[in-house]
Amino acid sequence: MVAALVFVGGCAHYPVNAPLERHDPTAGYHVENLPDAGNSGSLLVVLTFSGGGTRAAALAYGVLDQLAQVEIEWEGRQKRLLDEVDLISAVSGGSYTAAYYALYRDRLFMDFERDFLKRDVQGDITRKILAPGNVVRASAPMFGRIDLVAEYLDDTLFHGATYGDLLRSGLRPFVLINASDMSLGTRFEFTQDQFDPICSDLSSYPIARAVAASSAVPIAFSPLTLRNHAGQCGYREPAWVQSSLADRAASARRYYKASELRSYLDADKRPFIHLLDGAISDNTGLRGLLDRMLSQASPQDLARSLGAGELRKVVLITVSAETRPDMSLDRVESVPTMFQVARNVKDIPINHNSFETAELFRARFENLARRERSGIDGPEAADFYLIEVALEGISDKVEREQFMSIPTSLRLAGDSVDRVKAMAARLLTGSAEYGRLLHDLGRRQEAGRKGSDMPPVVDE
């Protein structure tokens, strides 16, 4: 038996991402390839889901549940506000909800609570990792604990689904699942745009592995590995890369983005890409949208980059389950333990990056809105709505502290899940910007689905 286990462990290898035979910028999982006839395009609705374990997944779920209860009439058709969601950018805990909804749509409201939110996922994963055969497998040089996590997610949530399944559905929202490049410390998104430079075909890649990478907490889990097939598919470096590298003074940001892209094109120096928790580079889910916004000259250019038509309304709903830094160490004189140091060293840059990203994004979003209002008169001007759903925004101090103290893990008591869901509804419907949106759409919040514990909120 021991010999068999050793043999199995020695043979263990992570699933290798498939090479791309020929680069085609119009093929694969791009937002433009999800036209979704039921989505108007002139009403652009974008959601961002932060990290934060099951707490974040439940908060995101609560927002989707509320959007499903709002009936609007847009361009002569009646639909739910949820049906107008074009894009979701998610990281870590929020990626579970985003990926599940993109794949299964309204099944989210039927079985996601049972299969994930109210399940001891952390206990299940721990037991899987500690199973004797898996201990041996995870000790192999080409297989890690994160590969066991991906297997678990595939078995219990995603059932072998790939990005090809999302592409074939032709339905929005387009989903950005964000991880972090361990070597560069930068965001790595699971889209064909990101896979093109490494000449890899995202269509055959399991969604479970993308979600696992997005939530691969350092130390607790091993990095998830991708093979770099660069140079095999005819991908050509965009012209802006060389010009940006030639003149760093023109734009330091474009210089570093160009350096990042070029690093993926050298498969000899980087034959493998190792990914960790997306929270390391961006725990808000906003960075992917910010990168797109900074590269566009106008709201209409942004709309076209997201595959939308002529914009009339732009709605961004940010959902943040982030908590404050743990300063309990400052109440004792004793030397912090190695575990405490490791945890804080990891959390400090995440908290700072999240704050800076959110502020930069808010400034950019508001600047686009001002330019749109001042540059265009009449009905062609787009209206902008920035709606924030954040635990930090709970007005009652005692209640805020209760929610902010919910731990970041993949195990949450059922009553806590219900409380987070209900809080998501309260924060969303209590937002002045959300009220303005409903007013401008000429609609009101409808009565919730059967079983909902939240009363309807009417915007007069």
Side-chain angles (χ1 to χ4, degrees):
M1 184 179 295
V2 171
L5 288 174
V6 171
F7 176 77
V8 170
C11 293
H13 198 293
Y14 65 90
V16 177
N17 50 300
L20 187 65
E21 292 184 4
R22 182 178 63 85
H23 172 239
D24 181 352
T26 66
Y29 192 66
H30 299 282
V31 66
E32 297 88 349
N33 293 334
L34 295 178
D36 192 355
N39 190 297
S40 67
S42 59
L43 172 59
L44 182 66
V45 181
V46 178
L47 312 179
T48 65
F49 296 159
S50 80
T54 302
R55 181 186 70 245
L59 196 69
Y61 175 92
V63 168
L64 293 178
D65 184 57
Q66 283 300 116
L67 296 180
Q69 298 177 41
V70 178
E71 291 285 338
I72 65 170
E73 183 173 337
W74 187 254
E75 296 186 342
R77 298 179 59 185
Q78 276 203 326
K79 59 184 73 176
R80 303 175 304 175
L81 186 53
L82 180 62
D83 298 326
E84 279 292 317
V85 174
D86 295 273
L87 185 146
I88 302 176
S89 178
V91 59
S92 199
S95 67
Y96 293 91
T97 308
Y100 200 89
Y101 175 66
L103 184 63
Y104 298 122
R105 312 293 289 182
D106 278 11
R107 264 186 56 186
L108 176 85
F109 306 119
M110 295 182 279
D111 50 28
F112 190 62
E113 288 189 53
R114 178 198 65 209
D115 292 345
F116 182 78
L117 292 179
K118 295 184 177 180
R119 183 170 184 162
D120 183 5
V121 174
Q122 188 159 303
D124 288 348
I125 290 175
T126 300
R127 286 185 287 273
K128 182 177 178 70
I129 290 174
L130 295 179
N134 288 335
V135 169
V136 177
R137 292 173 71 204
S139 65
M142 305 300 181
F143 194 86
R145 295 184 301 281
I146 197 61
D147 299 303
L148 294 172
V149 174
E151 287 181 356
Y152 171 82
L153 295 178
D154 207 41
D155 290 340
T156 59
L157 285 180
F158 300 110
H159 310 295
T162 66
Y163 276 88
D165 295 312
L166 289 179
L167 187 61
R168 282 185 290 273
S169 76
L171 298 174
R172 296 195 176 188
F174 182 76
V175 173
L176 298 177
I177 301 298
N178 299 286
S180 297
D181 184 316
M182 189 176 75
S183 297
L184 300 179
T186 55
R187 188 180 61 87
F188 186 100
E189 66 183 35
F190 283 85
T191 64
Q192 191 58 51
D193 288 316
Q194 183 84 66
F195 270 52
D196 278 342
I198 64 172
C199 285
S200 186
D201 182 12
L202 181 64
S203 296
S204 61
Y205 202 74
I207 294 172
R209 290 188 64 78
V211 175
S214 184
S215 53
V217 178
I219 302 175
F221 300 124
S222 58
L224 183 139
T225 300
L226 294 174
R227 185 166 292 178
N228 190 351
H229 303 286
Q232 302 179 22
C233 67
Y235 176 85
R236 294 186 177 182
E237 178 182 275
W240 67 268
V241 173
Q242 185 172 354
S243 61
S244 298
L245 292 175
D247 188 3
R248 183 183 181 280
S251 172
R253 179 177 178 79
R254 286 176 65 85
Y255 176 85
Y256 283 109
K257 293 298 292 184
S259 300
E260 177 187 334
L261 177 58
R262 182 168 283 185
S263 76
Y264 291 119
L265 301 180
D266 192 340
D268 292 329
K269 288 186 178 180
R270 299 193 71 190
F272 304 100
I273 311 296
H274 302 291
L275 304 177
L276 283 170
D277 191 340
I280 296 172
S281 54
D282 170 33
N283 197 36
T284 63
L286 288 168
R287 179 62 64 174
L289 301 181
L290 182 60
D291 288 343
R292 284 166 172 77
M293 290 174 70
L294 289 172
S295 65
Q296 306 303 324
S298 72
Q300 300 299 340
D301 289 338
L302 174 63
R304 284 186 282 273
S305 75
L306 296 176
E310 291 300 316
L311 282 183
R312 291 171 56 196
K313 293 186 184 299
V314 180
V315 182
L316 173 66
I317 303 177
T318 65
V319 184
S320 174
E322 287 190 305
T323 57
R324 297 194 189 105
D326 180 10
M327 293 182 286
S328 60
L329 295 178
D330 298 335
R331 293 195 289 268
V332 295
E333 188 177 8
S334 58
V335 176
T337 65
M338 289 181 61
F339 173 78
Q340 291 171 324
V341 171
R343 183 186 62 189
N344 278 31
V345 166
K346 173 179 70 70
D347 290 344
I348 287 170
I350 289 176
N351 291 328
H352 280 289
N353 287 343
S354 296
F355 175 77
E356 294 296 337
T357 298
E359 289 302 303
L360 184 59
F361 186 91
R362 185 180 293 107
R364 177 62 176 171
F365 190 89
E366 292 173 350
N367 183 52
L368 279 175
R370 283 194 298 270
R371 287 173 57 189
E372 184 75 352
R373 286 194 298 267
S374 61
I376 303 177
D377 294 322
E380 293 183 356
D383 296 319
F384 282 69
Y385 307 82
L386 179 56
I387 301 163
E388 297 175 278
V389 176
L391 296 181
E392 183 73 43
I394 299 173
S395 57
D396 183 87
K397 181 179 179 181
V398 174
E399 193 173 36
R400 181 172 62 250
E401 292 301 323
Q402 290 174 346
F403 278 89
M404 299 286 278
S405 65
I406 295 175
T408 300
S409 72
L410 294 178
R411 176 173 52 221
L412 199 57
D415 60 338
S416 294
V417 169
D418 292 336
R419 288 173 56 226
V420 173
K421 284 166 43 190
M423 180 52 69
R426 283 176 51 191
L427 290 170
L428 179 60
T429 58
S431 164
E433 276 288 273
Y434 185 66
R436 183 170 73 90
L437 172 66
L438 294 185
H439 179 272
D440 292 352
L441 291 173
R443 302 301 295 172
R444 67 182 182 89
Q445 178 107 358
E446 302 291 341
R449 270 190 306 277
K450 187 176 180 180
S452 173
D453 58 353
M454 294 300 298
V457 178
V458 179
D459 177 76
E460 296 295 339

mmCIF file with all atom_site columns, all heavy atoms in Angstrom, residues 329-340:
data_model
loop_
_atom_site.group_PDB
_atom_site.id
_atom_site.type_symbol
_atom_site.label_atom_id
_atom_site.label_alt_id
_atom_site.label_comp_id
_atom_site.label_asym_id
_atom_site.label_entity_id
_atom_site.label_seq_id
_atom_site.pdbx_PDB_ins_code
_atom_site.Cartn_x
_atom_site.Cartn_y
_atom_site.Cartn_z
_atom_site.occupancy
_atom_site.B_iso_or_equiv
_atom_site.pdbx_formal_charge
_atom_site.auth_seq_id
_atom_site.auth_comp_id
_atom_site.auth_asym_id
_atom_site.auth_atom_id
_atom_site.pdbx_PDB_model_num
ATOM 1  N N   . LEU A 1 329 ? -2.843 43.198 17.891 1.00 0.00 ? 329 LEU A N   1
ATOM 2  C CA  . LEU A 1 329 ? -1.441 43.053 18.307 1.00 0.00 ? 329 LEU A CA  1
ATOM 3  C C   . LEU A 1 329 ? -0.960 44.261 19.085 1.00 0.00 ? 329 LEU A C   1
ATOM 4  O O   . LEU A 1 329 ? -0.054 44.165 19.929 1.00 0.00 ? 329 LEU A O   1
ATOM 5  C CB  . LEU A 1 329 ? -0.543 42.852 17.083 1.00 0.00 ? 329 LEU A CB  1
ATOM 6  C CG  . LEU A 1 329 ? -0.729 41.565 16.265 1.00 0.00 ? 329 LEU A CG  1
ATOM 7  C CD1 . LEU A 1 329 ? 0.210  41.573 15.073 1.00 0.00 ? 329 LEU A CD1 1
ATOM 8  C CD2 . LEU A 1 329 ? -0.477 40.345 17.132 1.00 0.00 ? 329 LEU A CD2 1
ATOM 9  N N   . ASP A 1 330 ? -1.550 45.422 18.813 1.00 0.00 ? 330 ASP A N   1
ATOM 10 C CA  . ASP A 1 330 ? -1.092 46.651 19.453 1.00 0.00 ? 330 ASP A CA  1
ATOM 11 C C   . ASP A 1 330 ? -1.552 46.767 20.900 1.00 0.00 ? 330 ASP A C   1
ATOM 12 O O   . ASP A 1 330 ? -1.173 47.728 21.586 1.00 0.00 ? 330 ASP A O   1
ATOM 13 C CB  . ASP A 1 330 ? -1.593 47.862 18.662 1.00 0.00 ? 330 ASP A CB  1
ATOM 14 C CG  . ASP A 1 330 ? -1.052 47.878 17.246 1.00 0.00 ? 330 ASP A CG  1
ATOM 15 O OD1 . ASP A 1 330 ? 0.026  47.281 17.027 1.00 0.00 ? 330 ASP A OD1 1
ATOM 16 O OD2 . ASP A 1 330 ? -1.696 48.464 16.361 1.00 0.00 ? 330 ASP A OD2 1
ATOM 17 N N   . ARG A 1 331 ? -2.347 45.805 21.362 1.00 0.00 ? 331 ARG A N   1
ATOM 18 C CA  . ARG A 1 331 ? -2.823 45.850 22.747 1.00 0.00 ? 331 ARG A CA  1
ATOM 19 C C   . ARG A 1 331 ? -1.974 45.016 23.695 1.00 0.00 ? 331 ARG A C   1
ATOM 20 O O   . ARG A 1 331 ? -2.245 44.965 24.884 1.00 0.00 ? 331 ARG A O   1
ATOM 21 C CB  . ARG A 1 331 ? -4.290 45.383 22.801 1.00 0.00 ? 331 ARG A CB  1
ATOM 22 C CG  . ARG A 1 331 ? -5.251 46.342 22.114 1.00 0.00 ? 331 ARG A CG  1
ATOM 23 C CD  . ARG A 1 331 ? -6.695 46.045 22.489 1.00 0.00 ? 331 ARG A CD  1
ATOM 24 N NE  . ARG A 1 331 ? -7.179 44.809 21.902 1.00 0.00 ? 331 ARG A NE  1
ATOM 25 C CZ  . ARG A 1 331 ? -7.807 44.730 20.720 1.00 0.00 ? 331 ARG A CZ  1
ATOM 26 N NH1 . ARG A 1 331 ? -8.010 45.837 20.016 1.00 0.00 ? 331 ARG A NH1 1
ATOM 27 N NH2 . ARG A 1 331 ? -8.224 43.580 20.254 1.00 0.00 ? 331 ARG A NH2 1
ATOM 28 N N   . VAL A 1 332 ? -0.965 44.336 23.150 1.00 0.00 ? 332 VAL A N   1
ATOM 29 C CA  . VAL A 1 332 ? -0.099 43.503 24.001 1.00 0.00 ? 332 VAL A CA  1
ATOM 30 C C   . VAL A 1 332 ? 1.361  43.851 23.731 1.00 0.00 ? 332 VAL A C   1
ATOM 31 O O   . VAL A 1 332 ? 1.717  44.317 22.647 1.00 0.00 ? 332 VAL A O   1
ATOM 32 C CB  . VAL A 1 332 ? -0.339 41.999 23.743 1.00 0.00 ? 332 VAL A CB  1
ATOM 33 C CG1 . VAL A 1 332 ? -1.745 41.597 24.158 1.00 0.00 ? 332 VAL A CG1 1
ATOM 34 C CG2 . VAL A 1 332 ? -0.104 41.642 22.288 1.00 0.00 ? 332 VAL A CG2 1
ATOM 35 N N   . GLU A 1 333 ? 2.201  43.596 24.736 1.00 0.00 ? 333 GLU A N   1
ATOM 36 C CA  . GLU A 1 333 ? 3.616  43.938 24.634 1.00 0.00 ? 333 GLU A CA  1
ATOM 37 C C   . GLU A 1 333 ? 4.456  42.800 24.093 1.00 0.00 ? 333 GLU A C   1
ATOM 38 O O   . GLU A 1 333 ? 5.551  43.007 23.575 1.00 0.00 ? 333 GLU A O   1
ATOM 39 C CB  . GLU A 1 333 ? 4.140  44.355 26.020 1.00 0.00 ? 333 GLU A CB  1
ATOM 40 C CG  . GLU A 1 333 ? 5.554  44.927 26.001 1.00 0.00 ? 333 GLU A CG  1
ATOM 41 C CD  . GLU A 1 333 ? 6.005  45.384 27.372 1.00 0.00 ? 333 GLU A CD  1
ATOM 42 O OE1 . GLU A 1 333 ? 5.273  45.116 28.348 1.00 0.00 ? 333 GLU A OE1 1
ATOM 43 O OE2 . GLU A 1 333 ? 7.088  45.985 27.465 1.00 0.00 ? 333 GLU A OE2 1
ATOM 44 N N   . SER A 1 334 ? 3.952  41.580 24.178 1.00 0.00 ? 334 SER A N   1
ATOM 45 C CA  . SER A 1 334 ? 4.748  40.418 23.789 1.00 0.00 ? 334 SER A CA  1
ATOM 46 C C   . SER A 1 334 ? 5.050  40.425 22.295 1.00 0.00 ? 334 SER A C   1
ATOM 47 O O   . SER A 1 334 ? 4.316  41.003 21.483 1.00 0.00 ? 334 SER A O   1
ATOM 48 C CB  . SER A 1 334 ? 4.006  39.127 24.155 1.00 0.00 ? 334 SER A CB  1
ATOM 49 O OG  . SER A 1 334 ? 2.736  39.091 23.525 1.00 0.00 ? 334 SER A OG  1
ATOM 50 N N   . VAL A 1 335 ? 6.149  39.775 21.949 1.00 0.00 ? 335 VAL A N   1
ATOM 51 C CA  . VAL A 1 335 ? 6.598  39.719 20.559 1.00 0.00 ? 335 VAL A CA  1
ATOM 52 C C   . VAL A 1 335 ? 5.592  38.927 19.721 1.00 0.00 ? 335 VAL A C   1
ATOM 53 O O   . VAL A 1 335 ? 5.204  37.819 20.097 1.00 0.00 ? 335 VAL A O   1
ATOM 54 C CB  . VAL A 1 335 ? 7.982  39.049 20.461 1.00 0.00 ? 335 VAL A CB  1
ATOM 55 C CG1 . VAL A 1 335 ? 8.407  38.909 18.997 1.00 0.00 ? 335 VAL A CG1 1
ATOM 56 C CG2 . VAL A 1 335 ? 9.006  39.843 21.254 1.00 0.00 ? 335 VAL A CG2 1
ATOM 57 N N   . PRO A 1 336 ? 5.123  39.472 18.608 1.00 0.00 ? 336 PRO A N   1
ATOM 58 C CA  . PRO A 1 336 ? 4.173  38.742 17.762 1.00 0.00 ? 336 PRO A CA  1
ATOM 59 C C   . PRO A 1 336 ? 4.754  37.427 17.264 1.00 0.00 ? 336 PRO A C   1
ATOM 60 O O   . PRO A 1 336 ? 5.961  37.314 17.027 1.00 0.00 ? 336 PRO A O   1
ATOM 61 C CB  . PRO A 1 336 ? 3.924  39.707 16.595 1.00 0.00 ? 336 PRO A CB  1
ATOM 62 C CG  . PRO A 1 336 ? 4.256  41.058 17.133 1.00 0.00 ? 336 PRO A CG  1
ATOM 63 C CD  . PRO A 1 336 ? 5.381  40.830 18.100 1.00 0.00 ? 336 PRO A CD  1
ATOM 64 N N   . THR A 1 337 ? 3.891  36.446 17.128 1.00 0.00 ? 337 THR A N   1
ATOM 65 C CA  . THR A 1 337 ? 4.319  35.142 16.640 1.00 0.00 ? 337 THR A CA  1
ATOM 66 C C   . THR A 1 337 ? 4.581  35.200 15.131 1.00 0.00 ? 337 THR A C   1
ATOM 67 O O   . THR A 1 337 ? 4.185  36.153 14.452 1.00 0.00 ? 337 THR A O   1
ATOM 68 C CB  . THR A 1 337 ? 3.247  34.083 16.913 1.00 0.00 ? 337 THR A CB  1
ATOM 69 O OG1 . THR A 1 337 ? 2.067  34.399 16.141 1.00 0.00 ? 337 THR A OG1 1
ATOM 70 C CG2 . THR A 1 337 ? 2.875  34.050 18.389 1.00 0.00 ? 337 THR A CG2 1
ATOM 71 N N   . MET A 1 338 ? 5.228  34.164 14.608 1.00 0.00 ? 338 MET A N   1
ATOM 72 C CA  . MET A 1 338 ? 5.495  34.095 13.177 1.00 0.00 ? 338 MET A CA  1
ATOM 73 C C   . MET A 1 338 ? 4.193  34.099 12.383 1.00 0.00 ? 338 MET A C   1
ATOM 74 O O   . MET A 1 338 ? 4.097  34.722 11.327 1.00 0.00 ? 338 MET A O   1
ATOM 75 C CB  . MET A 1 338 ? 6.305  32.828 12.846 1.00 0.00 ? 338 MET A CB  1
ATOM 76 C CG  . MET A 1 338 ? 7.741  32.866 13.326 1.00 0.00 ? 338 MET A CG  1
ATOM 77 S SD  . MET A 1 338 ? 8.636  31.352 12.889 1.00 0.00 ? 338 MET A SD  1
ATOM 78 C CE  . MET A 1 338 ? 8.516  31.402 11.108 1.00 0.00 ? 338 MET A CE  1
ATOM 79 N N   . PHE A 1 339 ? 3.175  33.406 12.909 1.00 0.00 ? 339 PHE A N   1
ATOM 80 C CA  . PHE A 1 339 ? 1.887  33.362 12.218 1.00 0.00 ? 339 PHE A CA  1
ATOM 81 C C   . PHE A 1 339 ? 1.260  34.746 12.164 1.00 0.00 ? 339 PHE A C   1
ATOM 82 O O   . PHE A 1 339 ? 0.735  35.165 11.133 1.00 0.00 ? 339 PHE A O   1
ATOM 83 C CB  . PHE A 1 339 ? 0.946  32.390 12.930 1.00 0.00 ? 339 PHE A CB  1
ATOM 84 C CG  . PHE A 1 339 ? -0.459 32.421 12.379 1.00 0.00 ? 339 PHE A CG  1
ATOM 85 C CD1 . PHE A 1 339 ? -0.776 31.784 11.191 1.00 0.00 ? 339 PHE A CD1 1
ATOM 86 C CD2 . PHE A 1 339 ? -1.466 33.110 13.054 1.00 0.00 ? 339 PHE A CD2 1
ATOM 87 C CE1 . PHE A 1 339 ? -2.062 31.827 10.672 1.00 0.00 ? 339 PHE A CE1 1
ATOM 88 C CE2 . PHE A 1 339 ? -2.759 33.160 12.548 1.00 0.00 ? 339 PHE A CE2 1
ATOM 89 C CZ  . PHE A 1 339 ? -3.054 32.509 11.347 1.00 0.00 ? 339 PHE A CZ  1
ATOM 90 N N   . GLN A 1 340 ? 1.308  35.479 13.285 1.00 0.00 ? 340 GLN A N   1
ATOM 91 C CA  . GLN A 1 340 ? 0.727  36.816 13.327 1.00 0.00 ? 340 GLN A CA  1
ATOM 92 C C   . GLN A 1 340 ? 1.461  37.768 12.380 1.00 0.00 ? 340 GLN A C   1
ATOM 93 O O   . GLN A 1 340 ? 0.841  38.585 11.695 1.00 0.00 ? 340 GLN A O   1
ATOM 94 C CB  . GLN A 1 340 ? 0.767  37.358 14.757 1.00 0.00 ? 340 GLN A CB  1
ATOM 95 C CG  . GLN A 1 340 ? -0.187 36.640 15.710 1.00 0.00 ? 340 GLN A CG  1
ATOM 96 C CD  . GLN A 1 340 ? 0.032  37.034 17.158 1.00 0.00 ? 340 GLN A CD  1
ATOM 97 O OE1 . GLN A 1 340 ? 1.176  37.261 17.585 1.00 0.00 ? 340 GLN A OE1 1
ATOM 98 N NE2 . GLN A 1 340 ? -1.053 37.123 17.914 1.00 0.00 ? 340 GLN A NE2 1
#
